[in-house]
Amino acid sequence: MKSKLVVRMAELVIDPNQLEAYRAHLAEEIEASVALEEGVLSLNAVSIKDSPHRIRILEVYASKEAYEAHLQTPHFLKYKGETATMVKSITLVDAEPIIMRGKP
């Protein structure tokens, strides 16, 4: 039986005075997660045009177990600790995939 994908969107508001530092931490965390975790299928971060401090992250995991394992990794815990004062709000939205395609 194939595991069900976990797809979620994280909607973040970042302190504009710390945006550059936040983006560096986010890039480091995403790179490590995709490279080191088999269950992390994709992590894509974008900012809202004209509001660069409003960040959206589309997260795709192979399963609930992969998502839960991701939350315990050293690189994710480091990211959470280093950005705790930078993130002014976060909303996590669970999503159901309709169609997801990409090119390598």
Side-chain angles (χ1 to χ4, degrees):
M1 183 177 196
K2 194 172 188 176
S3 295
K4 185 176 180 187
L5 293 179
V6 171
V7 180
R8 70 178 0 177
M9 293 186 311
E11 301 174 344
L12 298 98
V13 177
I14 308 303
D15 175 357
N17 297 318
Q18 300 185 71
L19 183 57
E20 189 174 322
Y22 173 80
R23 290 175 73 147
H25 290 301
L26 178 62
E28 180 182 331
E29 196 283 325
I30 286 177
E31 291 293 339
S33 296
V34 172
L36 300 174
E37 297 179 63
E38 186 175 319
V40 175
L41 302 182
S42 69
L43 294 171
N44 298 283
V46 299
S47 63
I48 303 300
K49 196 170 192 168
D50 300 325
S51 295
H53 66 288
R54 299 174 63 84
I55 306 287
R56 301 296 183 264
I57 306 169
L58 178 62
E59 309 173 31
V60 183
Y61 302 92
S63 64
K64 180 181 178 192
E65 294 77 17
Y67 172 70
E68 291 172 354
H70 167 72
L71 298 179
Q72 301 305 314
T73 60
H75 50 270
F76 181 77
L77 294 172
K78 178 184 173 194
Y79 158 80
K80 290 295 282 185
E82 291 176 339
T83 63
T85 63
M86 301 174 183
V87 177
K88 296 304 172 193
S89 72
I90 183 168
T91 303
L92 300 175
V93 179
D94 291 321
E96 288 290 332
I98 296 172
I99 183 166
M100 299 174 71
R101 294 288 179 264
K103 290 186 178 186

